Amino acid sequence: MEFRKRIEECRERCAVFEYLDATVTVPIEYSDILRAQVVNIISALDTYVHNIVQLGVMNAFHGKSAATSALLNEKISVRDFLFVAGQVDSAEQVFSDFIKNKTGYQSFQSPDSISAALALVSAAPNKWKLIADEISLSRDTAISQLNLIVQRRNGIAHECDIDPISGDKFPLTLSECRRTVDFVASVVDAIESQIGAAITYIARHVK
């Protein structure tokens, strides 16, 4: 799975940082390697959720799973209608392209956006309660942890992780980075356990 590859890449780069920090004695700050992994792991989560939504919606299209109320109630704009109507491919391709067009501009990183995305492919209630139970945390703790990681990711991506008071970068340790990667990996494992495994299995047997 693509997400697993991204996880391993993040862990490998954490190991690179550990090696450089321990063996290379030059006055260079290596912590930007770690910051990059915070950005990368959230990007991997975002991509994973996009893929799960695409697979799940196409499963519904093929009748392999029931369409959720959130999917059935999706509104279509005139622009999107014209986009769909202008396609000359098969109905399957048109529908797939339509979903990509609808979700392509969205980011699925925050707990709320992930919950909304999963509602398109799963009717299970209290999705973050299910995810939190899977990783042995309370719902509020799991949501809070992911929110903090996303906030840190945004600070790195948009503000260079700079403390506006001191002008220095906020500290980020190797252990903090590894905990971040491990936590996001555990969230995806929980989604996979609750929703994604069934979607992936059905997708392999479509056609």
Side-chain angles (χ1 to χ4, degrees), residues 133-158:
D133 286 348
E134 194 76 22
I135 57 179
S136 302
L137 294 175
S138 71
R139 175 184 177 277
D140 288 347
T141 299
I143 288 174
S144 177
Q145 282 192 222
L146 184 56
N147 273 327
L148 288 172
I149 293 169
V150 172
Q151 288 170 13
R152 186 66 186 271
R153 176 265 174 203
N154 290 341
I156 293 169
H158 303 300

Side-chain angles (χ1 to χ4, degrees), residues 56-178:
V57 169
M58 293 310 297
N59 286 346
F61 174 85
H62 286 286
K64 300 294 182 179
S65 60
T68 66
S69 60
L71 178 60
L72 292 174
N73 289 322
E74 271 291 296
K75 293 179 174 60
I76 180 169
S77 68
V78 172
R79 180 194 63 191
D80 288 331
F81 173 79
L82 293 174
F83 168 79
V84 172
Q87 303 302 303
V88 295
D89 297 316
S90 67
E92 177 183 359
Q93 188 61 52
V94 169
F95 187 68
S96 178
D97 289 345
F98 168 69
I99 295 302
K100 288 178 181 177
N101 188 53
K102 286 281 289 185
T103 62
Y105 70 91
Q106 298 174 317
S107 66
F108 300 138
Q109 301 177 358
S110 70
D112 286 346
S113 66
I114 291 171
S115 183
L118 295 180
L120 295 173
V121 296
S122 170
N126 303 316
K127 292 177 179 59
W128 272 101
K129 176 67 164 59
L130 295 174
I131 293 169
D133 286 348
E134 194 76 22
I135 57 179
S136 302
L137 294 175
S138 71
R139 175 184 177 277
D140 288 347
T141 299
I143 288 174
S144 177
Q145 282 192 222
L146 184 56
N147 273 327
L148 288 172
I149 293 169
V150 172
Q151 288 170 13
R152 186 66 186 271
R153 176 265 174 203
N154 290 341
I156 293 169
H158 303 300
E159 300 170 356
C160 297
D161 208 26
I162 299 295
D163 182 340
I165 297 176
S166 69
D168 297 325
K169 290 185 178 182
F170 289 106
L172 179 61
T173 66
L174 176 61
S175 60
E176 288 172 333
C177 186
R178 282 177 165 158

